[in-house]
Amino acid sequence: MNLLQLEYALALEKLGSFTRAAHALNMTQPALSLQIKNLENEIGISLFDRSRSRIEPTEQGLKFLLKAGEIVMAGKQLKEYAITLANQFGGEIKLGIIPTLSPYLVPLFLDQLLNQYPELSLEIHELLTEEILQKIRLGDLDGGIISTPLARQGITVSPLFYESFYMYHNYEDGIHAKSLKVSNLDLKNLWLLEEGNCFRDQVSDICSLRNEKAYAQISYHCSSIDSLIRMVDHQGGTTILPELTTLCLDSDQEQNLILLEDKVREVGFVTRKLTGKEHLFEIINEKIIESVPAPMREKRGREVVDPGIQEGWK
């Protein structure tokens, strides 16, 4: 067994096809099949189920590939660590950021970070939470900024800041309160993000929507908070916004905000353990924390809402 064989197996898991994996690895399909077969013979287990159109790991294979990914990653980390010895604050970082954060958070910290560390290169991808976690596991991303907490094997979490939740409504509805308890929310005309977005799960949790269906004449499927704001402005009803979103509202729209008491969304930085880039992550995290309003840096006794991220990679 060698690192190349492990890399071949990980490529096959990622691409789900001997043909695509062989092309990506710049080798022939028979040669890749032989390498995978030799690896399976040596370890005594079948890594992949070949009976389906898409090649998928077996149950034992998934466990092996998780450990194989850690070993391959460790080899890459050793090379990266050698580079950082010569250039402590340089290198490339690939980050995933969830859509309900990316357009509001990235502009706050990006310029200051890159101006202070000109040898640092950032590649940012706007992705859903599960996509970010999967790409971190496969080594396609170095880290991610998502809603936390979570329990996921091999993942470390560093809390960054805490966002309050706000109800956003049409001011003409005649609601003029400054703050409101969640139990007093009117859910009949609540606009929500599309399923699969962790912010929708959080809103469902704080509004107890998991087992009830709010009536709506329009079924509007979207993944953009800006779209929800525009729907409220033009169609009425309400939606729930995280705090960073509210910093982009104009003065008229700010009148439509009502603080929801006692609940916050925790935002954290997630990465694999022992990447060799921890010193760069510390720099990024420090700049992010500095960029948000000071009150958002502390939980202040409020309850963190569960983002609804299921455990995995067991």
Side-chain angles (χ1 to χ4, degrees), residues 96-156:
I97 307 182
I98 56 176
T100 55
L101 279 170
S102 181
Y104 313 105
L105 178 61
V106 173
L108 295 181
F109 74 87
L110 190 61
D111 286 346
Q112 185 178 5
L113 175 67
L114 297 183
N115 288 337
Q116 188 169 349
Y117 301 99
E119 295 181 347
L120 181 64
S121 173
L122 280 184
E123 181 179 309
I124 298 174
H125 300 263
E126 190 172 296
L127 300 165
L128 294 178
T129 297
E130 281 299 333
E131 293 177 296
I132 291 173
L133 293 173
Q134 183 70 355
K135 286 181 177 293
I136 289 174
R137 184 179 81 79
L138 294 174
D140 295 332
L141 291 176
D142 297 305
I145 302 172
I146 66 173
S147 184
T148 52
L150 80 156
R152 189 64 64 94
Q153 180 181 341
I155 291 288
T156 62

Coordinates of all heavy atoms in Angstrom, one line a residue, residues 96-156:
G96 N -15.2 27.7 1.9 CA -16.6 27.7 1.5 C -17.3 28.5 2.5 O -17.1 28.5 3.7
I97 N -18.3 29.3 2.1 CA -19.1 30.2 2.9 C -20.6 30.0 2.5 O -20.9 30.0 1.3 CB -18.7 31.6 2.8 CG1 -17.2 31.8 3.1 CG2 -19.5 32.5 3.8 CD1 -16.7 33.2 3.1
I98 N -21.5 29.8 3.5 CA -22.9 29.6 3.2 C -23.5 30.9 2.6 O -23.1 32.0 2.9 CB -23.7 29.1 4.4 CG1 -23.5 30.1 5.6 CG2 -23.2 27.7 4.8 CD1 -24.3 29.7 6.8
P99 N -24.5 30.7 1.7 CA -25.1 31.9 1.0 C -25.7 32.9 1.9 O -25.8 34.1 1.5 CB -26.2 31.2 0.1 CG -25.7 29.8 -0.1 CD -25.1 29.4 1.2
T100 N -26.2 32.5 3.1 CA -26.8 33.5 4.0 C -25.8 34.4 4.7 O -26.1 35.3 5.5 CB -27.8 32.9 5.0 OG1 -27.0 31.8 5.7 CG2 -28.9 32.2 4.3
L101 N -24.5 34.0 4.5 CA -23.4 34.8 5.1 C -22.5 35.5 4.1 O -22.1 36.7 4.3 CB -22.5 33.9 6.0 CG -22.9 33.6 7.4 CD1 -22.1 32.5 8.0 CD2 -22.9 34.8 8.3
S102 N -22.2 34.8 3.0 CA -21.2 35.2 2.1 C -21.3 36.7 1.6 O -20.4 37.5 1.7 CB -21.2 34.3 0.9 OG -20.2 34.7 0.0
P103 N -22.5 37.1 1.0 CA -22.5 38.5 0.5 C -22.5 39.6 1.5 O -22.2 40.7 1.2 CB -23.9 38.5 -0.3 CG -24.7 37.4 0.3 CD -23.7 36.4 0.8
Y104 N -22.8 39.2 2.8 CA -22.8 40.2 3.8 C -21.5 40.2 4.7 O -21.1 41.3 5.2 CB -24.0 39.9 4.7 CG -25.3 39.7 4.0 CD1 -25.8 38.4 3.8 CD2 -25.9 40.7 3.3 CE1 -26.9 38.1 3.1 CE2 -27.1 40.5 2.5 CZ -27.5 39.2 2.4 OH -28.7 38.9 1.7
L105 N -20.9 39.1 4.8 CA -19.7 39.0 5.6 C -18.4 39.2 4.8 O -17.5 40.0 5.3 CB -19.6 37.6 6.3 CG -18.4 37.3 7.1 CD1 -18.3 38.3 8.3 CD2 -18.4 35.9 7.6
V106 N -18.2 38.7 3.7 CA -17.0 38.7 2.9 C -16.6 40.2 2.7 O -15.4 40.5 2.9 CB -17.1 38.0 1.6 CG1 -15.9 38.2 0.7 CG2 -17.2 36.5 1.9
P107 N -17.4 41.1 2.2 CA -17.0 42.5 2.0 C -16.5 43.2 3.3 O -15.7 44.2 3.2 CB -18.3 43.2 1.5 CG -19.1 42.1 0.9 CD -18.8 40.9 1.8
L108 N -16.9 42.7 4.4 CA -16.5 43.3 5.7 C -15.0 43.1 6.0 O -14.3 44.0 6.6 CB -17.3 42.8 6.9 CG -18.8 43.2 6.8 CD1 -19.5 42.6 8.1 CD2 -19.0 44.7 6.7
F109 N -14.5 41.9 5.7 CA -13.1 41.6 6.1 C -12.1 41.4 5.0 O -10.9 41.4 5.2 CB -13.1 40.3 7.0 CG -13.3 39.0 6.2 CD1 -12.3 38.3 5.6 CD2 -14.6 38.5 6.0 CE1 -12.4 37.1 4.9 CE2 -14.8 37.3 5.3 CZ -13.7 36.6 4.8
L110 N -12.6 41.2 3.7 CA -11.7 40.8 2.7 C -10.6 41.8 2.4 O -9.4 41.5 2.3 CB -12.5 40.6 1.4 CG -11.8 39.9 0.2 CD1 -11.2 38.5 0.7 CD2 -12.7 39.8 -1.0
D111 N -10.9 43.1 2.2 CA -9.9 44.1 1.8 C -8.8 44.2 2.8 O -7.6 44.3 2.5 CB -10.6 45.4 1.5 CG -11.3 45.5 0.2 OD1 -11.1 44.5 -0.6 OD2 -12.1 46.4 0.0
Q112 N -9.2 44.3 4.1 CA -8.3 44.5 5.2 C -7.3 43.3 5.3 O -6.1 43.5 5.5 CB -9.0 44.8 6.5 CG -8.1 45.1 7.6 CD -8.8 45.4 8.9 OE1 -10.0 45.2 9.0 NE2 -8.0 45.7 10.0
L113 N -7.9 42.1 5.1 CA -7.1 40.9 5.2 C -6.1 40.9 4.1 O -4.9 40.6 4.4 CB -8.0 39.7 5.1 CG -7.3 38.3 5.1 CD1 -6.6 38.0 6.4 CD2 -8.3 37.2 4.8
L114 N -6.5 41.1 2.9 CA -5.5 40.9 1.8 C -4.5 42.1 1.7 O -3.4 41.9 1.3 CB -6.3 40.8 0.5 CG -7.2 39.6 0.3 CD1 -7.9 39.6 -1.0 CD2 -6.4 38.3 0.6
N115 N -5.0 43.3 2.2 CA -4.0 44.4 2.2 C -2.9 44.2 3.3 O -1.8 44.5 3.0 CB -4.8 45.7 2.5 CG -5.6 46.2 1.3 OD1 -5.3 45.8 0.2 ND2 -6.6 47.0 1.6
Q116 N -3.3 43.6 4.4 CA -2.3 43.4 5.5 C -1.4 42.2 5.2 O -0.3 42.1 5.6 CB -3.0 43.2 6.8 CG -2.1 43.1 8.0 CD -2.8 43.2 9.3 OE1 -4.0 43.5 9.4 NE2 -2.1 42.9 10.4
Y117 N -2.0 41.2 4.4 CA -1.2 40.0 4.1 C -1.2 39.8 2.6 O -2.0 38.9 2.0 CB -1.8 38.8 4.8 CG -1.8 38.9 6.3 CD1 -2.9 39.3 7.0 CD2 -0.6 38.7 7.0 CE1 -2.9 39.5 8.4 CE2 -0.6 38.9 8.4 CZ -1.8 39.2 9.1 OH -1.8 39.4 10.4
P118 N -0.5 40.6 1.8 CA -0.5 40.5 0.3 C -0.1 39.2 -0.3 O -0.4 38.9 -1.4 CB 0.4 41.7 -0.1 CG 1.3 41.9 1.1 CD 0.5 41.6 2.3
E119 N 0.7 38.4 0.5 CA 1.1 37.1 0.0 C 0.1 36.0 0.2 O 0.3 34.8 -0.2 CB 2.5 36.7 0.6 CG 3.6 37.7 0.2 CD 4.9 37.3 0.8 OE1 4.9 36.4 1.7 OE2 5.9 37.9 0.3
L120 N -1.0 36.3 0.8 CA -2.1 35.3 1.1 C -3.0 35.4 -0.1 O -3.5 36.4 -0.5 CB -2.8 35.7 2.4 CG -3.9 34.7 2.8 CD1 -3.4 33.3 3.1 CD2 -4.6 35.3 4.1
S121 N -3.4 34.2 -0.6 CA -4.4 34.1 -1.7 C -5.6 33.4 -1.2 O -5.5 32.3 -0.6 CB -3.7 33.3 -2.8 OG -4.7 33.1 -3.9
L122 N -6.8 34.0 -1.5 CA -8.1 33.4 -1.0 C -8.9 32.9 -2.2 O -9.0 33.7 -3.2 CB -8.9 34.4 -0.2 CG -8.5 34.6 1.3 CD1 -9.6 35.5 1.9 CD2 -8.5 33.3 2.0
E123 N -9.4 31.7 -2.2 CA -10.4 31.2 -3.2 C -11.7 30.9 -2.4 O -11.7 30.0 -1.6 CB -9.8 30.0 -3.9 CG -10.8 29.4 -4.9 CD -10.2 28.2 -5.6 OE1 -9.0 28.3 -6.1 OE2 -10.9 27.2 -5.7
I124 N -12.7 31.7 -2.7 CA -14.0 31.6 -1.9 C -15.1 31.0 -2.7 O -15.3 31.4 -3.9 CB -14.4 33.0 -1.4 CG1 -13.3 33.5 -0.4 CG2 -15.7 32.9 -0.6 CD1 -13.5 34.9 0.1
H125 N -15.8 30.0 -2.2 CA -16.9 29.4 -2.8 C -18.2 29.5 -2.0 O -18.2 29.2 -0.8 CB -16.6 27.9 -3.1 CG -15.4 27.6 -3.9 ND1 -15.5 27.3 -5.2 CD2 -14.1 27.5 -3.6 CE1 -14.3 27.1 -5.7 NE2 -13.4 27.2 -4.7
E126 N -19.3 30.0 -2.6 CA -20.5 30.1 -1.9 C -21.3 28.8 -2.1 O -21.7 28.4 -3.2 CB -21.3 31.2 -2.5 CG -22.6 31.6 -1.7 CD -23.2 32.9 -2.1 OE1 -22.6 34.0 -2.1 OE2 -24.4 32.8 -2.6
L127 N -21.4 28.0 -1.0 CA -22.0 26.7 -1.0 C -22.9 26.4 0.2 O -22.8 27.1 1.2 CB -20.9 25.6 -1.0 CG -19.8 25.7 -2.2 CD1 -18.6 24.8 -1.8 CD2 -20.5 25.2 -3.5
L128 N -23.8 25.4 0.1 CA -24.6 25.0 1.2 C -23.7 24.3 2.2 O -22.6 23.8 1.9 CB -25.7 24.1 0.7 CG -26.8 24.8 -0.2 CD1 -27.8 23.8 -0.6 CD2 -27.4 26.0 0.5
T129 N -24.2 24.2 3.4 CA -23.4 23.6 4.5 C -22.9 22.2 4.2 O -21.7 21.9 4.4 CB -24.3 23.6 5.8 OG1 -24.6 24.9 6.2 CG2 -23.5 22.9 7.0
E130 N -23.7 21.3 3.8 CA -23.3 19.9 3.6 C -22.3 19.9 2.5 O -21.4 19.0 2.5 CB -24.5 19.0 3.3 CG -25.3 18.6 4.5 CD -24.5 17.8 5.5 OE1 -23.5 17.2 5.1 OE2 -24.8 17.9 6.7
E131 N -22.4 20.7 1.4 CA -21.4 20.7 0.4 C -20.0 21.2 0.9 O -19.0 20.6 0.6 CB -21.8 21.7 -0.7 CG -23.1 21.3 -1.5 CD -23.5 22.3 -2.5 OE1 -23.9 23.4 -2.1 OE2 -23.5 22.0 -3.7
I132 N -20.1 22.2 1.8 CA -18.8 22.7 2.4 C -18.2 21.6 3.2 O -17.0 21.3 3.1 CB -19.1 23.9 3.3 CG1 -19.5 25.1 2.4 CG2 -17.9 24.2 4.2 CD1 -19.9 26.3 3.2
L133 N -18.9 20.9 4.1 CA -18.4 19.8 4.9 C -17.8 18.7 4.1 O -16.8 18.1 4.4 CB -19.4 19.4 5.9 CG -19.9 20.4 7.0 CD1 -21.1 19.8 7.8 CD2 -18.7 20.7 7.9
Q134 N -18.5 18.3 3.0 CA -18.1 17.2 2.2 C -16.8 17.6 1.5 O -15.9 16.8 1.4 CB -19.2 16.8 1.2 CG -18.8 15.7 0.3 CD -18.8 14.3 1.0 OE1 -18.9 14.3 2.2 NE2 -18.6 13.3 0.3
K135 N -16.7 18.8 1.0 CA -15.5 19.3 0.3 C -14.3 19.4 1.2 O -13.2 19.2 0.8 CB -15.8 20.6 -0.5 CG -16.6 20.4 -1.7 CD -16.9 21.7 -2.5 CE -17.7 21.4 -3.7 NZ -16.9 20.6 -4.7
I136 N -14.6 19.8 2.5 CA -13.5 19.8 3.4 C -13.0 18.4 3.7 O -11.8 18.1 3.8 CB -14.0 20.4 4.8 CG1 -14.2 21.9 4.6 CG2 -13.0 20.2 5.9 CD1 -14.8 22.6 5.8
R137 N -13.9 17.4 3.8 CA -13.5 16.0 4.0 C -12.7 15.5 2.9 O -11.7 14.8 3.1 CB -14.8 15.2 4.2 CG -14.4 13.7 4.5 CD -15.7 12.9 4.7 NE -16.3 12.4 3.5 CZ -15.8 11.4 2.8 NH1 -14.7 10.8 3.2 NH2 -16.4 11.1 1.6
L138 N -13.1 15.9 1.6 CA -12.3 15.4 0.5 C -11.1 16.2 0.2 O -10.3 15.8 -0.7 CB -13.3 15.4 -0.7 CG -14.5 14.4 -0.7 CD1 -15.4 14.7 -1.9 CD2 -14.0 13.0 -0.6
G139 N -10.9 17.3 0.9 CA -9.7 18.0 0.7 C -9.8 19.1 -0.4 O -8.8 19.8 -0.8
D140 N -11.0 19.3 -1.0 CA -11.2 20.3 -2.0 C -11.3 21.7 -1.4 O -11.1 22.7 -2.1 CB -12.5 20.1 -2.7 CG -12.4 18.8 -3.5 OD1 -11.3 18.4 -3.9 OD2 -13.5 18.1 -3.8
L141 N -11.6 21.8 -0.1 CA -11.6 23.1 0.6 C -10.8 22.9 1.9 O -10.7 21.9 2.5 CB -13.1 23.5 1.1 CG -14.1 23.8 0.0 CD1 -15.4 24.1 0.6 CD2 -13.6 25.1 -0.8
D142 N -10.1 24.0 2.3 CA -9.3 24.1 3.5 C -10.2 24.3 4.7 O -9.9 23.8 5.8 CB -8.3 25.2 3.4 CG -7.3 24.9 2.3 OD1 -6.7 23.8 2.3 OD2 -7.1 25.8 1.5
G143 N -11.3 25.1 4.5 CA -12.1 25.4 5.7 C -13.4 26.0 5.2 O -13.6 26.2 4.0
G144 N -14.3 26.3 6.2 CA -15.6 26.9 5.8 C -16.1 27.8 6.9 O -15.7 27.6 8.1
I145 N -17.0 28.7 6.6 CA -17.7 29.5 7.5 C -19.1 29.2 7.4 O -19.8 29.5 6.4 CB -17.4 31.0 7.2 CG1 -15.9 31.3 7.3 CG2 -18.1 31.9 8.2 CD1 -15.5 32.7 6.8
I146 N -19.7 28.6 8.5 CA -21.0 28.1 8.5 C -21.7 28.5 9.8 O -21.1 29.0 10.7 CB -21.1 26.6 8.2 CG1 -20.4 25.9 9.4 CG2 -20.4 26.2 6.9 CD1 -20.6 24.3 9.3
S147 N -23.0 28.1 9.9 CA -23.7 28.2 11.1 C -23.4 27.0 12.0 O -23.5 25.8 11.5 CB -25.2 28.3 10.9 OG -25.9 28.5 12.1
T148 N -22.9 27.2 13.2 CA -22.5 26.1 14.1 C -23.4 26.2 15.4 O -24.2 27.2 15.5 CB -21.1 26.3 14.5 OG1 -20.8 27.6 14.9 CG2 -20.2 26.0 13.2
P149 N -23.3 25.3 16.3 CA -22.4 24.2 16.5 C -22.7 23.0 15.6 O -23.8 22.9 15.1 CB -22.4 23.9 18.0 CG -23.8 24.3 18.3 CD -24.2 25.5 17.5
L150 N -21.8 22.1 15.6 CA -22.0 20.8 14.9 C -21.1 19.8 15.5 O -20.1 20.1 16.1 CB -21.8 20.9 13.4 CG -20.4 20.8 12.9 CD1 -20.4 20.3 11.4 CD2 -19.7 22.2 12.9
A151 N -21.5 18.5 15.3 CA -20.6 17.4 15.7 C -20.4 16.6 14.5 O -21.3 15.9 14.0 CB -21.3 16.6 16.8
R152 N -19.2 16.6 14.0 CA -18.8 15.9 12.8 C -17.4 15.3 12.9 O -16.5 16.1 13.2 CB -18.9 16.8 11.6 CG -18.8 16.1 10.2 CD -19.9 15.1 9.9 NE -21.2 15.7 9.8 CZ -21.8 16.1 8.7 NH1 -21.2 16.0 7.6 NH2 -23.1 16.6 8.7
Q153 N -17.3 14.0 12.7 CA -16.0 13.4 12.9 C -14.9 14.0 12.1 O -15.1 14.3 10.9 CB -16.1 11.9 12.5 CG -14.8 11.1 12.7 CD -15.0 9.6 12.3 OE1 -16.1 9.1 12.2 NE2 -13.9 9.0 12.0
G154 N -13.8 14.3 12.7 CA -12.7 14.9 12.0 C -12.7 16.4 11.8 O -11.8 17.0 11.2
I155 N -13.8 17.1 12.2 CA -14.0 18.5 12.0 C -13.8 19.3 13.3 O -14.3 18.9 14.3 CB -15.4 18.8 11.4 CG1 -15.5 18.3 10.0 CG2 -15.7 20.3 11.5 CD1 -14.7 19.0 9.0
T156 N -13.0 20.3 13.2 CA -12.9 21.2 14.4 C -13.7 22.5 14.1 O -13.8 23.0 13.0 CB -11.4 21.6 14.6 OG1 -10.9 22.3 13.5 CG2 -10.6 20.4 14.9

